[in-house]
């Protein structure tokens, strides 16, 4: 059970004693959104990230979720991907395939990974093209205030520097307003070449979850959630503010340890 369900500036905070409790609740949260979305739209369009997120989702491969989730209705995307071959150890697709997608009955043709045979720029363009086709057929919803895709759920991790997806602090991609998917070739975290959803797409989702564990993220969590040092250039994670959707931060106690005045009450 979450130690705190506080709401702060439109963000729901869920803080857990440890990563085991967090991953139990995360599986439940994703399964509930999947059920609601399948009921409402007939499909569930979910975007994943890399990093520890995938192992934190692993309870979805176990009972009851392996049987109760309507896996055939899932359409899977990546909020960011490293531009490497799909079988490379750096590939977010490979991470998700090994840790989740190969263990549940998703439909292979519903897994939308990037074209790994072209440049980062072309891979971003191709990925946006695929997303545009699926918005047209409403496999992915569409925002009612812009033409942006409205993913049912975008799952993000956060680095100690406050980056989310492949949106890094002070990088010009933070200002991208037109493209849905863009690319970088100078990522401060290797590998350098990546594609990433832009902020307008992230902020058009119906639901965004930022999943953060470990003490190395505690300072960035404090800066973002407590709006500490407001004059400092915004950390990318702070710019994640869905216009109409729901935003939930899943934190373990270590990541939440520098938050102002968090009451750990059940
Ligand atoms: O492609 C990437 O590098 C990841 O998608 C990255 O954005 C990750 O989500 C964060 O760095 C958090 O990673 P951890 O949860 O492993 O710290």
């Amino acid at each position: 059970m979450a130690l705190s369900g506080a709401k702060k500036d439109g963000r729901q905070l869920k803080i857990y004693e440890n990563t085991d409790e967090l991953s139990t609740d995360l599986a439940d949260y994703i399964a509930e959104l999947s059920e609601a979305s399948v009921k409402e739209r007939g499909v569930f369009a979910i975007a994943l990230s890399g990093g520890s997120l995938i192992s934190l989702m692993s309870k979805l491969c176990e009972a009851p979720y392996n049987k109760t989730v309507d896996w055939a209705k899932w359409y899977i995307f990546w909020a960011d991907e490293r531009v490497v071959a799909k079988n490379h150890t750096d590939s977010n697709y490979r991470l998700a395939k090994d840790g989740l997608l190969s263990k549940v009955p998703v439909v292979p043709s519903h897994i939308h990974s990037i074209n790994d045979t072209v440049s980062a720029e072309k891979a971003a363009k191709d990925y946006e093209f695929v997303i545009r086709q699926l918005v047209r057929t409403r496999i992915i919803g569409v925002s009612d205030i812009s033409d942006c895709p409205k993913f049912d759920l975008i799952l993000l991790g956060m680095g100690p520097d406050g980056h989310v997806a492949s949106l890094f602090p002070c990088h010009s991609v933070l200002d991208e307003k037109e493209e849905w998917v863009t690319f970088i070739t100078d990522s401060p975290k290797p590998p350098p070449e990546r594609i990433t959803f832009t902020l307008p797409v992230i902020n058009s989702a119906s639901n965004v979850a930022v999943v953060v564990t470990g003490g190395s993220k505690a300072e960035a969590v404090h800066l973002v959630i407590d709006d500490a040092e407001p004059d400092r250039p915004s950390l990318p994670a702070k710019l994640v503010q869905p216009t109409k959707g729901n935003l939930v931060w899943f934190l373990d106690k270590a990541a939440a340890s520098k938050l102002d005045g968090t009451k750990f009450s059940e």
Side-chain angles (χ1 to χ4, degrees):
M1 181 188 284
L3 295 170
S4 162
K7 224 172 171 179
K8 224 170 171 182
D9 297 333
R11 302 179 179 100
Q12 191 185 355
L13 301 186
K14 289 174 158 247
I15 302 170
Y16 301 87
E17 188 68 46
N18 52 48
T19 52
D20 188 58
E21 290 185 10
L22 185 154
S23 59
T24 300
D25 219 33
L26 181 64
D28 208 46
Y29 163 85
I30 296 170
E32 271 181 25
L33 287 181
S34 163
E35 191 181 339
S37 173
V38 170
K39 205 165 171 190
E40 192 187 322
R41 304 200 312 107
V43 291
F44 183 51
I46 177 173
L48 308 173
S49 297
S52 57
L53 172 75
I54 300 301
S55 65
L56 292 167
M57 292 173 73
S58 64
K59 292 201 176 169
L60 285 169
C61 309
E62 298 167 10
Y65 308 110
N66 54 350
K67 298 274 186 299
T68 55
V69 168
D70 198 348
W71 296 105
K73 304 286 170 47
W74 279 40
Y75 285 77
I76 298 133
F77 304 83
W78 276 264
D80 74 317
E81 177 59 290
R82 290 102 178 259
V83 183
V84 293
K86 283 190 180 59
N87 61 0
H88 194 285
T89 48
D90 280 341
S91 162
N92 285 344
Y93 162 81
R94 178 176 165 178
L95 180 74
K97 185 170 175 251
D98 292 350
L100 174 70
L101 304 176
S102 61
K103 300 178 179 174
V104 290
V106 287
V107 179
S109 63
H110 294 180
I111 300 175
H112 293 282
S113 54
I114 66 161
N115 180 352
D116 63 348
T117 62
V118 294
S119 68
E121 181 173 10
K122 177 85 169 67
K125 278 212 161 57
D126 286 0
Y127 207 50
E128 180 166 323
F129 180 78
V130 168
I131 292 172
R132 282 191 185 277
Q133 302 307 309
L134 294 168
V135 167
R136 215 159 280 154
T137 54
R138 293 294 185 268
I139 294 295
I140 304 170
V142 62
S143 161
D144 39 21
I145 46 180
S146 67
D147 73 336
C148 267
K150 184 163 83 172
F151 285 89
D152 298 307
L153 173 62
I154 297 182
L155 289 160
L156 302 170
M158 182 186 76
D161 59 353
H163 85 265
V164 289
S166 286
L167 302 169
F168 289 89
C170 301
H171 198 286
S172 56
V173 288
L174 293 172
D175 301 320
E176 180 57 60
K177 301 274 185 298
E178 303 302 322
E179 314 279 0
W180 292 354
V181 182
T182 191
F183 70 101
I184 61 171
T185 54
D186 57 357
S187 167
K189 178 181 175 187
E193 302 205 345
R194 290 145 173 270
I195 65 109
T196 183
F197 282 4
T198 57
L199 282 166
V201 169
I202 293 173
N203 287 331
S204 297
S206 297
N207 296 279
V208 179
V210 186
V211 183
V212 187
T213 59
S216 68
K217 323 273 178 70
E219 183 62 23
V221 167
H222 164 62
L223 289 173
V224 172
I225 306 241
D226 294 325
D227 196 17
E229 303 180 28
D231 296 336
R232 178 177 152 141
S234 272
L235 293 184
K238 201 157 147 185
L239 304 173
V240 174
Q241 289 166 350
T243 321
K244 290 185 107 180
N246 304 308
L247 174 59
V248 186
W249 280 63
F250 287 83
L251 303 169
D252 71 349
K253 229 171 163 174
S257 59
K258 292 193 177 170
L259 280 178
D260 291 343
T262 306
K263 296 205 178 31
F264 293 111
S265 57
E266 298 200 358

